[in-house]
């Protein structure tokens, strides 16, 4: 079927995974810049002081900083209507709390937006995508410190004013719900490094509260700067199926859905904490410190649309003997009806349809899929071609289900496939886990000439966009 006119087809990226130039033109280090490379089996490390001789994938990434014209030209060739990217906060405020913004950083994004607009590509900007200026981690333990709310608000005010005539669509925090996940979430989402003896859970949920307040303030501020702004939340949606019809499994699946999927969007879309969140805090001894106006701020800063990432579904069980398999942010259990990617993420297009229906039923506001894709090993053939039929199959199957959800009444604004150009994997730091329509010649150790090459999926997606979702063959 054809999507509605103006449907935002495109691709998605994040600054720390593709820009590189980590310390050029006045940029300060971010939390992502302190993360080493890793693999599927060796986790990335956080090094509060950079180690000599250690490889940090974000430092050069795929060097979009110097290749943006060439890359945007390729996006335009595919017919992108939108391009999701993030601004590196520490490119604008190198330490996070500087008095004045860094003009060279602001100019870089002006150049990128101008280049996109030249091809009629609408920028969709994530304000904070898994990176916090490292200065704020050192000074305030990242988002655990209330002070960071004001730093973020100043940053938003700066970029909203600067780009108010170039950018209409904004997302306040990437996958804000990762802060509901122990350990991983604290640093990736909150820039927090817990000390020995700290109550990690308390720090995480306090940081999450600070992000809720910051997000609400940003929404209100953004609308006052430009009433046409559309500002959304962004949730890593982890679709959970009960393993059996044992009511305990069903309740456990619901509990996970509430805690990991719905808690954040309930606050960001409805403007208040749901009962199950308050109950969860009570049961776990978490006490959220609120300032006088916080509840009012949350109510006044509800988002305009709901956006989410979707890669896979999980199976939930109360059977303690079952073995966990890996997944995006959270693992789950094996689903015998599904195949998995090379990284063990269980591929489930119908789960996307279920998720879209579920979200729209609950919130009744426009929805956008801002990440979806397949991380896979690509092979460059002798003749230079890259035949990624597996990626085409994955995307086609998901788009088919997305269209079914639209037929079912979901108000879907757009679809940006994740990692439209190969970039550094967030979870493993690898280049080998490729998502792109565009291949980048670089490997896990940073070797390669950084040359760009279109894959078979590039030409396929071009036809999808040209036909507004009708031609999927
Ligand atoms: C999402 C993140 O969780 O998944 C992205 O928003 C990330 O930053 C994407 O890259 C895919 O995950 P990974 O670990 O395969 O890069």
């Amino acid at each position: 079927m054809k999507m509605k006119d103006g449907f935002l087809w495109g691709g998605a990226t994040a600054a720390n995974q593709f820009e590189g130039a980590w310390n050029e033109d006045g940029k300060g280090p971010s939390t992502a810049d302190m993360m080493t490379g890793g693999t599927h089996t060796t986790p990335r490390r956080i090094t509060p002081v950079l180690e000599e001789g250690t490889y940090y994938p974000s430092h050069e990434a795929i060097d979009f900083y110097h290749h943006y014209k060439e890359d945007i030209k390729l996006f335009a060739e595919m017919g992108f209507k939108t391009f999701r990217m993030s601004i590196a906060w520490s490119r604008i405020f190198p330490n996070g709390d500087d008095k004045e913004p860094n003009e060279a950083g602001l100019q870089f994004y002006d150049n990128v937006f101008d280049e996109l607009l030249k091809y009629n590509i609408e920028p969709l900007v994530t304000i904070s995508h898994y990176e916090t200026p490292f200065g704020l981690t050192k000074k305030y333990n990242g988002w655990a410190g209330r002070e960071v709310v004001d730093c973020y608000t100043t940053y938003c005010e700066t970029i909203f004013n600067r780009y108010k005539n170039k950018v209409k669509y904004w997302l306040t925090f990437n996958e804000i719900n990762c802060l509901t996940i122990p350990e991983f979430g604290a640093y990736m989402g909150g820039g927090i490094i817990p000390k020995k003896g700290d109550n990690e859970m308390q720090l995480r949920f306090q940081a999450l509260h600070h992000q809720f307040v910051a997000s609400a303030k940003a929404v209100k501020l953004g609308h006052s700067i430009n009433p046409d702004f559309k500002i959304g939340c962004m949730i890593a949606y982890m679709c959970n199926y009960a393993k059996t019809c044992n009511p305990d499994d069903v309740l456990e699946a619901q509990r996970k859905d509430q805690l990991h999927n719905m808690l954040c969007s309930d606050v960001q879309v409805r403007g208040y904490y749901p009962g199950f969140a308050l109950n969860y805090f009570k049961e776990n001894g978490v006490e959220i410190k609120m300032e006088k106006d916080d509840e009012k701020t949350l109510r006044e800063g509800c988002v305009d649309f709901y956006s989410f990432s979707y890669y896979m579904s999980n199976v939930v069980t109360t059977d303690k003997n079952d073995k966990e398999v890996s997944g995006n942010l959270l693992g789950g259990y094996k689903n015998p009806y599904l195949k998995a990617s090379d990284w063990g993420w269980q591929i489930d297009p119908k789960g996307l349809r279920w998720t879209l229906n579920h979200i729209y039923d609950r919130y009744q506001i426009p929805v956008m899929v801002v990440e979806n894709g397949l991380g896979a090993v690509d092979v460059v053939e002798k003749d230079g071609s890259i035949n990624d039929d597996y990626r085409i199959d994955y995307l086609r199957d998901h788009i088919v289900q997305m269209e079914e959800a639209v037929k079912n009444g979901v108000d879907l604004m757009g679809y940006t496939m994740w990692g439209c150009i190969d970039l550094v994997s967030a979870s493993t730091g690898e280049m080998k886990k490729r998502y792109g329509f565009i291949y980048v010649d670089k490997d896990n150790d940073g070797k390669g000439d950084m040359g760009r090459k279109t894959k078979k999926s590039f030409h396929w997606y071009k036809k999808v966009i040209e036909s507004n979702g009708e031609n999927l063959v």
Side-chain angles (χ1 to χ4, degrees):
M1 70 177 263
K2 268 194 193 304
M3 294 308 220
K4 65 178 178 193
D5 284 351
F7 188 82
L8 294 168
W9 292 102
T13 56
N16 73 83
Q17 293 172 253
F18 92 136
E19 259 180 23
W22 76 289
N23 60 0
E24 272 184 55
D25 298 332
K27 181 181 173 293
S30 77
T31 46
D33 295 326
M34 316 308 275
M35 289 181 78
T36 68
T39 65
H40 189 17
T41 45
T42 325
R44 304 183 73 176
R45 286 183 303 118
I46 299 155
T47 60
V49 176
L50 293 179
E51 298 169 350
E52 244 187 79
T54 295
Y55 180 59
Y56 293 91
S58 70
H59 290 193
E60 188 188 42
I62 61 150
D63 198 25
F64 175 78
Y65 195 77
H66 297 106
H67 288 74
Y68 70 92
K69 288 196 177 169
E70 169 189 355
D71 293 342
I72 292 172
K73 191 161 183 253
L74 287 167
F75 302 152
E77 203 181 314
M78 266 186 282
F80 276 20
K81 308 288 179 211
T82 191
F83 176 56
R84 177 176 173 228
M85 53 180 272
S86 69
I87 293 182
W89 182 353
S90 62
R91 207 178 276 296
I92 310 298
F93 289 98
N95 300 291
D97 59 355
D98 314 70
K99 288 240 153 25
E100 295 298 325
N102 170 31
E103 177 55 33
L106 287 167
Q107 188 57 51
F108 169 66
Y109 294 106
D110 262 322
N111 298 344
V112 171
F113 297 143
D114 289 344
E115 198 66 19
L116 289 167
L117 295 170
K118 179 169 121 187
Y119 296 105
N120 292 320
I121 301 174
E122 185 88 59
L124 163 62
V125 173
T126 317
I127 299 169
S128 174
H129 189 129
Y130 285 164
E131 56 179 326
T132 304
F134 197 65
L136 297 180
T137 290
K138 286 201 285 197
K139 217 160 164 180
Y140 305 114
N141 204 10
W143 281 93
R146 174 83 195 197
E147 296 86 345
V148 178
V149 175
D150 284 345
C151 302
Y152 178 88
T153 314
T154 305
Y155 162 51
C156 288
E157 195 175 359
T158 308
I159 57 175
F160 286 163
N161 277 317
R162 177 84 172 211
Y163 307 124
K164 62 173 182 262
N165 298 320
K166 298 184 181 177
V167 180
K168 177 175 169 191
Y169 296 99
W170 304 88
L171 304 175
T172 53
F173 289 93
N174 181 63
E175 299 190 335
I176 191 168
N177 56 326
C178 84
L179 270 166
T180 65
I181 295 166
E183 290 165 28
F184 172 87
Y187 187 74
M188 289 290 272
I192 301 168
I193 305 182
K195 288 190 295 297
K196 217 170 161 210
D198 273 349
N199 179 342
E200 194 260 359
M201 188 177 189
Q202 171 67 35
L203 287 178
R204 253 188 307 115
F205 281 100
Q206 187 62 47
L208 183 59
H209 178 69
H210 295 153
Q211 293 195 348
F212 287 151
V213 172
S215 172
K217 285 187 176 207
V219 172
K220 207 172 160 196
L221 181 70
H223 288 152
S224 73
I225 291 174
N226 184 346
D228 289 338
F229 277 180
K230 297 283 175 222
I231 308 175
C233 61
M234 197 305 201
I235 306 291
Y237 201 96
M238 292 160 284
C239 172
N240 295 302
Y241 300 137
K243 184 168 180 188
T244 69
C245 52
N246 177 341
D248 285 338
D249 279 359
V250 176
L251 276 173
E252 180 58 10
Q254 184 179 52
R255 190 189 70 82
K256 285 208 156 160
D257 190 44
Q258 289 184 330
L259 174 62
H260 297 301
N261 296 325
M262 293 304 175
L263 192 160
C264 295
S265 46
D266 277 4
V267 177
Q268 291 185 289
V269 177
R270 296 167 163 175
Y272 57 90
Y273 280 91
F276 61 78
L278 303 177
N279 189 36
Y280 179 78
F281 296 156
K282 204 163 137 204
E283 282 180 355
N284 290 281
V286 171
E287 277 178 42
I288 305 293
K289 268 196 228 94
M290 291 209 195
E291 287 193 0
K292 194 168 103 291
D293 286 334
D294 282 3
E295 287 183 337
K296 183 166 170 277
T297 304
L298 296 181
R299 275 197 307 276
E300 291 174 353
C302 296
V303 291
D304 301 311
F305 67 98
Y306 177 112
S307 84
F308 69 108
S309 61
Y310 177 88
Y311 291 90
M312 53 168 298
S313 61
N314 275 332
V315 169
V316 174
T317 174
T318 47
D319 179 355
K320 299 274 176 284
N321 297 319
D322 224 324
K323 201 172 148 268
E324 249 195 272
V325 295
S326 61
N328 185 23
L329 309 192
L330 265 190
Y333 295 88
K334 200 162 167 39
N335 187 331
Y337 302 99
L338 302 176
K339 292 202 177 95
S341 77
D342 293 345
W343 274 261
W345 295 14
Q346 304 187 86
I347 301 170
D348 182 13
K350 287 186 179 145
L352 174 59
R353 173 168 158 198
W354 184 92
T355 300
L356 281 163
N357 287 332
H358 184 55
I359 291 167
Y360 194 64
D361 282 352
R362 190 172 181 104
Y363 299 123
Q364 299 277 297
I365 59 171
V367 180
M368 182 160 177
V369 179
V370 292
E371 286 187 30
N372 172 238
L374 179 70
V377 178
D378 290 328
V379 178
V380 184
E381 304 293 346
K382 282 210 181 78
D383 64 359
S385 63
I386 299 151
N387 299 308
D388 56 341
D389 293 281
Y390 37 89
R391 182 167 294 109
I392 296 175
D393 290 345
Y394 177 101
L395 296 171
R396 180 195 301 111
D397 293 349
H398 282 78
I399 293 173
V400 165
Q401 295 304 322
M402 189 170 85
E403 293 183 347
E404 288 300 321
V406 171
K407 281 188 207 155
N408 210 32
V410 174
D411 180 4
L412 188 66
M413 299 161 62
Y415 173 85
T416 54
M417 175 272 211
W418 173 253
C420 47
I421 178 162
D422 289 348
L423 38 63
V424 175
S425 154
S427 57
T428 68
E430 291 167 291
M431 274 304 297
K432 190 175 159 196
K433 190 179 187 189
R434 295 175 183 276
Y435 284 86
F437 297 123
I438 302 163
Y439 184 89
V440 178
D441 182 22
K442 185 168 183 185
D443 68 15
N444 278 358
D445 306 317
K447 292 191 208 83
D449 68 8
M450 220 60 114
R452 274 63 168 156
K453 225 188 245 302
T454 60
K455 304 182 193 174
K456 189 170 175 184
S457 56
F458 178 101
H459 306 281
W460 171 82
Y461 197 51
K462 186 176 178 188
K463 282 191 268 166
V464 174
I465 300 180
E466 240 163 37
S467 65
N468 199 10
E470 198 167 39
N471 183 359
L472 300 177
V473 288

